[in-house]
Amino acid sequence: MVRASFERYTLRFREVAITSRASMRVKNTYLLRLEADELPGRKTLGEVALFEGLSLEDTPAFESILAETCRRISECRTLAEAMDRLPEVSSIRFGFESAILRSGLLPPSDSQRRWLSGESGIEINGLVWMGDKQTMRRRIREKLDAGFRCVKLKIGGIRFEDEIELLAEIRSEYSPDDIELRLDANGGFTPENAMERLERLAAFTIHSIEQPIKPGQWEEMRRLCRLSPIPVALDEELIGFRSDDEKQRMLESISPQYIILKPSLCGGFREADRWIELAVAAGAAWWGTSALESDIGLEALGLWTAGHDPSMPQGLGTGNLYTNNFPSPLRLEGSRLWYKNS
């Protein structure tokens, strides 16, 4: 038999987290506890990583849906049967799948085994959150001093001219061979100003820019992907798709250079795997990234990412954003995320 329950947990940021959408001091999440006859003597935790204001299922009814899901799961004889009873709710699927990944029930691939044994680490980008100009300058310096050679800046939260100045400062000291720069606009540009801004940003040899305009504007996004001097990566654009036909139609309509996979937002790990297949077939590359999960979700994300043996820096968090995160085997050394269970 399978038994499932959940509890709400509030994560507290060390510093205010700012994007072009909102400023956050706390993030609510949910812990999913699973027990099953297939896991004798063990309980496993997953994270139902609802992202308030961004997850499609962020509605007043969410906790009722989660409670009903746990009730239905607890009627199942096997975990496979429970999987078939999950609703088409991205964060809930992520929670269930992250619990299974963390349980040790599934045999690891060779690349996952190397990560779990501490033989290999996952190269990640250094994320620089928005802030005022001086704060962003300090955060950039911290990432560079820590050894990151791929740095991602969230832009759109301060004056564009100040962001241009910060990028100019980086490039005056570090060449593109020294530092790879990624940008994330979180939909902060408009169709009217996006191209002019992309052309100015291109002077700093930018690897890619995530979601320059808000999702759902396929024709405008296709135009940007075709004309932009900076490769475009889709992020929020991937939220809310249910069928492979819908995914394929979007990818073929927009023709992005990259897609950014946040499993807790794009359908869970199984759907993220399907996104990869469809993107590669459409000629787009990809990388995975976290979406403010706790270390419980991050551990599962690391294991999933390691299974794909990625060749480019990933967008995984390190858990250091929060003052009240959970004990974890995740360790950041330089620019690599390691699993060290000792």
Side-chain angles (χ1 to χ4, degrees):
M1 295 295 292
V2 179
R3 293 161 294 283
S5 61
F6 74 93
E7 67 176 273
R8 183 170 172 166
Y9 189 81
T10 299
L11 294 157
R12 304 189 182 281
F13 286 97
R14 293 184 186 279
E15 298 185 68
V16 179
I18 303 172
T19 73
S20 59
R21 290 187 302 269
S23 298
M24 297 171 285
R25 295 182 182 274
V26 299
K27 181 185 181 296
N28 294 313
T29 193
Y30 296 87
L31 305 182
L32 177 69
R33 286 183 169 81
L34 276 184
E35 298 177 73
D37 293 343
E38 296 152 273
L39 303 169
R42 283 183 288 167
K43 296 180 182 179
T44 183
L45 275 178
E47 181 174 3
V48 178
L50 180 74
F51 198 127
E52 294 173 353
L54 190 55
S55 294
L56 194 66
E57 59 268 22
D58 180 21
T59 69
F62 179 76
E63 286 196 16
S64 296
I65 294 170
L66 181 53
E68 174 62 15
T69 300
C70 288
R71 186 192 66 77
R72 295 181 65 189
I73 287 175
S74 297
E75 294 176 346
C76 297
R77 296 181 182 179
T78 67
L79 292 168
E81 182 185 348
M83 185 70 192
D84 290 337
R85 291 203 180 191
L86 294 179
E88 294 293 331
V89 176
S90 188
S91 59
I92 292 178
R93 286 183 167 266
F94 176 84
F96 184 86
E97 291 173 332
S98 62
I100 299 301
L101 276 172
R102 296 182 71 252
S103 72
L105 180 66
L106 303 176
S109 66
D110 287 344
S111 56
Q112 286 173 325
R113 180 193 56 76
R114 290 194 299 273
W115 188 65
L116 288 169
S117 64
E119 296 174 37
S120 66
I122 300 171
E123 187 78 21
I124 65 173
N125 60 228
L127 176 60
V128 177
W129 282 88
M130 293 177 186
D132 60 45
K133 190 176 176 182
Q134 290 302 115
T135 299
M136 287 190 72
R137 182 181 285 117
R138 170 179 59 81
R139 290 171 176 169
I140 290 167
R141 172 53 56 191
E142 288 171 353
K143 295 301 180 185
L144 299 178
D145 289 347
F148 285 96
R149 290 297 171 259
C150 176
V151 177
K152 170 181 162 180
L153 281 73
K154 285 186 174 289
I155 61 173
I158 60 175
R159 283 194 334 123
F160 185 66
E161 296 304 322
D162 287 340
E163 292 169 339
I164 288 288
E165 185 175 322
L166 286 170
L167 290 168
E169 288 179 10
I170 295 174
R171 279 292 177 241
S172 69
E173 187 172 353
Y174 297 95
S175 75
D177 291 333
D178 296 323
I179 296 292
E180 177 179 284
L181 289 176
R182 297 175 177 176
L183 302 179
D184 184 0
N186 283 127
F189 300 166
T190 68
E192 292 73 28
N193 68 21
M195 188 56 67
E196 184 268 336
R197 291 190 171 191
L198 290 168
E199 288 171 350
R200 292 187 64 189
L201 291 168
F204 306 108
T205 314
I206 306 300
H207 171 271
S208 56
I209 183 163
E210 296 180 35
Q211 204 67 44
I213 61 175
K214 286 180 169 50
Q217 305 176 85
W218 290 12
E219 187 173 327
E220 291 294 338
M221 189 68 86
R222 176 181 176 83
R223 180 179 68 86
L224 292 179
C225 289
R226 186 176 72 252
L227 300 177
S228 172
I230 300 173
V232 174
L234 303 185
D235 181 358
E236 290 90 344
E237 201 77 58
L238 276 58
I239 296 173
F241 288 85
R242 296 290 174 85
S243 71
D244 285 355
D245 286 345
E246 290 177 318
K247 297 184 184 80
Q248 188 169 11
R249 185 164 64 87
M250 185 275 286
L251 290 169
E252 291 176 351
S253 295
I254 295 178
S255 297
Q257 286 82 12
Y258 298 101
I259 65 168
I260 312 301
L261 290 165
K262 294 175 177 171
S264 61
L265 290 169
C266 68
F269 292 113
R270 184 181 294 183
E271 286 302 305
D273 288 340
R274 188 60 183 141
W275 271 114
I276 291 172
E277 294 174 10
L278 294 169
V280 171
W286 69 276
W287 65 85
T289 187
S290 49
L292 300 182
E293 292 87 357
S294 75
D295 271 344
I296 291 171
L298 282 174
E299 185 181 327
L301 277 163
L303 186 56
W304 172 77
T305 303
H308 288 281
D309 203 9
S311 59
M312 70 171 71
Q314 302 293 292
L316 300 184
T318 64
N320 291 328
L321 285 173
Y322 302 118
T323 61
N324 61 335
N325 215 327
F326 300 96
S328 168
L330 300 179
R331 300 288 182 270
L332 179 65
E333 295 181 4
S335 60
R336 288 183 175 266
L337 189 66
W338 299 82
Y339 186 98
K340 296 194 174 182
N341 204 8
S342 61

